Amino acid sequence: MTVTGGNRHDSTQLIPLVEALPTIRGKRGRPWQRPRWLYGDRAYDYEHHRKALRERGIIPRIARRNTGHGSGLGKVRWVVERTFAWLHQYKRLRTRYERRADIHLGLLRLGCVLICYRQLPTSF
């Protein structure tokens, strides 16, 4: 997670977020350093983002601008939208009242912890 100013475009943080991803663990053998695919909406449809992702060995699955809907990204994007809806149940995260970014980031992390805590009993 990163916090930026309210007037910054989201796409400026794509590459720094990809660089900050931890090693992906799971199966035996050498762990993956990067994900295989990156899904994004039309806001991230820039050729320099696609090129930077391909250089890192990530296949970009980004919807194209000026095309009709129905690209199929909704099958995986709903997870992100659902998470935003869960975070917006906390009023201080819905509208940013804090001036300091570290306080807002702390509240955002606390909201994520509470969401995960509530999901644990139903995941077994």
Side-chain angles (χ1 to χ4, degrees):
M1 277 184 274
T2 61
V3 176
T4 60
N7 56 351
R8 289 275 314 244
H9 198 271
D10 294 341
S11 67
T12 61
Q13 297 303 308
L14 177 66
I15 301 304
L17 278 174
V18 169
E19 290 297 321
L21 286 174
T23 302
I24 299 171
R25 302 176 74 189
K27 295 181 180 180
R28 281 185 176 179
R30 185 172 172 223
W32 293 346
Q33 297 297 319
R34 302 270 184 239
R36 288 185 184 168
W37 305 282
L38 185 130
Y39 292 92
D41 58 11
R42 287 173 173 80
Y44 300 96
D45 184 29
Y46 294 102
E47 194 54 43
H48 62 274
H49 288 320
R50 292 177 187 276
K51 182 180 176 189
L53 291 171
R54 284 189 194 106
E55 288 172 357
R56 289 166 175 77
I58 301 171
I59 301 168
R61 302 276 171 97
I62 300 172
R64 298 270 182 194
R65 279 183 269 151
N66 301 324
T67 59
H69 292 281
S71 61
L73 288 178
K75 295 176 185 173
V76 289
R77 279 284 302 164
W78 70 271
V79 177
V80 176
E81 300 301 329
R82 179 191 61 194
T83 306
F84 286 150
W86 282 342
L87 285 171
H88 284 173
Q89 71 182 342
Y90 304 110
K91 185 179 179 186
R92 292 190 75 135
L93 295 177
R94 191 178 329 133
T95 304
R96 183 174 169 178
Y97 294 106
E98 286 77 24
R99 289 180 178 261
R100 291 178 40 193
D102 58 338
I103 294 174
H104 186 71
L105 184 61
L107 289 172
L108 186 62
R109 288 179 177 163
L110 181 62
C112 291
V113 167
L114 290 173
I115 289 169
C116 291
Y117 178 73
R118 288 179 182 159
Q119 290 298 315
L120 276 176
T122 61
S123 64
F124 293 109

